[in-house]
Amino acid sequence: MATLFSNDGAEVVQRPLPAKESSGRTPAEALDEFYELERATAFVTASGFHRVALQFPNELLADSAAVAAKMEEATGSKMYILGDTSYGSCCVDEVAAEHVGAEAVVHYGPACLSPCRKLPVLHVFGRQPLDTERCAGAFRELYPDPQSHVVVLSDVVYAHALGELERLLGPEYPHVVFSRLASDGAPDCPQGPGLVRQFGRCFAVAARRELQDHAVFYVGAEGLALTNFMLSWNRCPFSSFNPATGCGRHESLHVNRALLRRLYLVERARDARVVGILVGTLGVAGYLSILEHLRGTLRRAGKRSYTLAMGKLSPAKLANFLEVDVFVLVACPQNSLLDSRDFYRPVVTPYELELACNPAREWSSLYVTDFRDLLPGGCAHVGFPDMVPGDSDVPDVSLITGELRATGLSSSPAPSSSSALACRTPESALAEISPAASFLESRSWRGLEQQLGQTPVTKPVPGRRGIAIAYEDEASG
């Protein structure tokens, strides 16, 4: 634990970096095609934007200056490069864009396709090459039956090649469905019954079949996007094709084991008395609504909450809040599934917190990673039940500690600021009650004591001079 929460910084210096080409830059003749400069230029000029932010992930920053120069030359507008993002690079950093007064954002690289709140956004994923013949061959090996019902998904950087893949496989497999990206108002997104529109993708399954009756074939490397799909649609068998290795395989992620781990975190959230709400995004539409929704949920469940905004998360940051029993992370679907094994306290998703606090929501095969689905009007919204007299008398035993815990709901979801004050003395002196203060009161060491009025006042005297390794009054050598 000591090396986890505090270290000498050697880990940062010795951390291995992913291997790159010697130059790390895209050849000048390939910039226009890879970064779709013609489409980006049309986006800027058509709307008359004068100040545009260009957001690059770390792996594409080497090309940022060249791309910005070409964009300024083609549009006559001022371009600003956004590098290190406040949160995940898959989300649009509207906060940084607003700092420079940008009127729009062009987001480069992989993206979670979460809708933004304020600024218009153009996504340029970067067209990574895909050997469609080899991918089609891997598909035929994994699904030899031409009557197989399969949904084809892809990482966003390979979405441009799905049309060619459909041309190769469509005549042989009449029941294969190819997804489309739903970003930027895609005109070719299918419509009609059986439409599935989720995680920035849209596709239509047959009217007489459901999504769970289909297998899923994913084009892309293993990562957060694939994990998100597999947990959300955990009743579908998955397979994948990795363009980097040219190999296809049936995915062997132990979905049941992952779900059991998440169910354990739900039980930890039921035991929690103090919950920290972590703001993991400031740009995804609806994040303010889900924050208020979570606060109301915790008030109804009789738990105290604190809202924390600290940028990118780390075990050392969260270890500063020892009085918090569990954290809930509000982020995009890809970043919300945080593996908190290295953290001092568990980190859950908004859906898992609702499972712990809302008696009307039950654990099922439906797993929700997009917090917007939990809000009123969302496809997975479940309201709190009405108060039933005697509910608090039903015993509820923790499956982790074996102790009894309260099960009653608060009758009013409205905040009550006066509940933090109580009489401390018979003379009706007021004292503030908070979990943080109670936790500090229970600790044997509470920090440096001021001892005001007890320490004698002395005149200042000259101190030592020099640096810590060799003060002037120390003998050298």
Side-chain angles (χ1 to χ4, degrees):
M1 285 294 183
T3 59
L4 182 63
F5 297 146
S6 61
N7 53 57
D8 57 0
E11 178 190 355
V12 177
V13 178
Q14 300 172 3
R15 180 185 303 161
L17 296 176
K20 283 190 174 184
E21 299 180 359
S22 57
S23 63
R25 301 176 185 272
T26 303
E29 60 273 11
L31 280 177
D32 289 9
E33 180 181 0
F34 185 82
Y35 289 100
E36 302 181 56
L37 293 183
E38 183 178 352
R39 185 165 73 98
T41 300
F43 169 74
V44 175
T45 55
S47 300
F49 298 129
H50 300 290
R51 301 166 67 91
V52 180
L54 308 180
Q55 180 178 338
F56 292 85
N58 292 340
E59 60 269 20
L60 298 180
L61 269 178
D63 297 331
S64 60
V67 172
K70 284 180 171 288
M71 288 288 292
E72 288 186 342
E73 181 181 358
T75 64
S77 303
K78 182 65 176 177
M79 301 292 160
Y80 297 88
I81 297 174
L82 305 183
D84 187 27
T85 58
S86 303
Y87 300 99
S89 60
C90 64
C91 299
V92 177
D93 195 348
E94 285 190 329
V95 175
E98 289 178 338
H99 286 170
V100 297
E103 300 168 331
V105 179
V106 180
H107 182 281
Y108 293 97
C112 59
L113 300 178
S114 299
C116 298
R117 298 173 54 237
K118 301 177 182 178
L119 300 178
V121 178
L122 175 70
H123 288 284
V124 178
F125 307 113
R127 300 194 170 195
Q128 296 290 351
L130 175 65
D131 188 342
T132 53
E133 293 286 350
R134 194 167 185 177
C135 182
F139 183 93
R140 296 186 183 100
E141 293 180 3
L142 293 170
Y143 303 100
D145 183 7
Q147 300 301 316
S148 300
H149 290 78
V150 185
V151 174
V152 179
L153 301 174
S154 74
D155 194 350
V156 292
V157 297
Y158 302 109
H160 65 93
L162 286 191
E164 176 65 19
L165 189 62
E166 183 177 7
R167 186 185 66 81
L168 294 175
L169 295 175
E172 303 176 37
Y173 293 85
H175 302 300
V176 172
V177 179
F178 290 83
S179 66
R180 297 288 184 266
L181 295 180
S183 65
D184 307 322
D188 55 346
C189 190
Q191 302 293 332
L195 177 65
V196 178
R197 191 182 186 97
Q198 199 169 1
F199 309 125
R201 277 80 171 174
C202 58
F203 53 90
V205 297
R208 296 187 301 273
R209 304 181 69 92
E210 298 182 358
L211 178 59
Q212 64 189 29
D213 300 326
H214 292 71
V216 178
F217 179 74
Y218 179 79
V219 180
E222 182 179 355
L224 292 176
L226 178 58
T227 303
N228 184 34
F229 289 141
M230 294 183 69
L231 281 179
S232 300
W233 301 324
N234 52 74
R235 300 182 67 178
C236 300
F238 271 75
S239 62
S240 68
F241 174 77
N242 190 340
T245 62
C247 298
R249 67 177 185 180
H250 290 288
E251 283 301 324
S252 58
L253 173 67
H254 297 287
V255 177
N256 290 337
R257 183 178 301 176
L259 291 175
L260 286 175
R261 166 68 182 172
R262 309 310 301 190
L263 183 57
Y264 164 77
L265 296 180
V266 171
E267 194 65 20
R268 290 290 300 270
R270 287 194 178 105
D271 290 344
R273 297 181 180 178
V274 182
V275 178
I277 304 176
L278 301 174
V279 183
T281 178
L282 295 177
V284 177
Y287 88 94
L288 291 176
S289 300
I290 193 64
L291 289 178
E292 189 59 34
H293 178 75
L294 292 177
R295 294 189 192 106
T297 298
L298 292 169
R299 282 195 296 267
R300 291 293 303 271
K303 302 179 187 294
R304 182 64 65 90
S305 66
Y306 295 99
T307 303
L308 308 171
M310 57 182 66
K312 295 179 180 178
L313 303 181
S314 68
K317 286 182 179 179
L318 298 189
N320 291 316
F321 305 95
L322 295 180
E323 67 274 16
V324 176
D325 299 319
V326 68
F327 295 94
V328 54
L329 175 60
V330 175
C332 70
Q334 290 189 19
N335 289 327
S336 62
L337 293 171
L338 180 67
D339 187 359
S340 58
R341 287 183 174 90
D342 294 335
F343 289 75
Y344 186 67
R345 294 285 191 245
V347 182
V348 302
T349 65
Y351 171 69
E352 292 163 353
L353 185 70
E354 275 216 350
L355 281 171
C357 298
N358 188 350
R361 185 180 292 278
E362 298 180 353
W363 178 270
S364 66
S365 61
L366 175 65
Y367 192 89
V368 181
T369 56
D370 191 342
F371 61 76
R372 292 173 298 144
D373 294 337
L374 304 176
L375 296 172
C379 61
H381 173 70
V382 175
F384 265 83
D386 296 331
M387 290 291 298
V388 178
D391 277 357
S392 58
D393 299 334
V394 179
D396 183 24
V397 180
S398 169
L399 300 180
I400 298 177
T401 64
E403 299 177 354
L404 291 175
R405 59 192 176 195
T407 59
L409 297 177
S410 173
S411 58
S412 174
S416 54
S417 57
S418 60
S419 63
L421 299 178
C423 292
R424 183 175 59 183
T425 65
E427 290 77 14
S428 299
L430 294 179
E432 183 176 358
I433 301 175
S434 72
S438 301
F439 180 81
L440 182 62
E441 188 71 21
S442 65
R443 298 184 64 174
S444 59
W445 188 81
R446 306 172 190 170
L448 298 178
E449 298 181 1
Q450 298 182 9
Q451 297 183 351
L452 298 178
Q454 303 178 22
T455 305
V457 179
T458 60
K459 293 183 178 181
V461 296
R464 307 176 76 179
R465 301 182 61 184
I467 59 177
I469 197 174
Y471 290 106
E472 291 182 356
D473 58 348
E474 293 180 338
S476 61

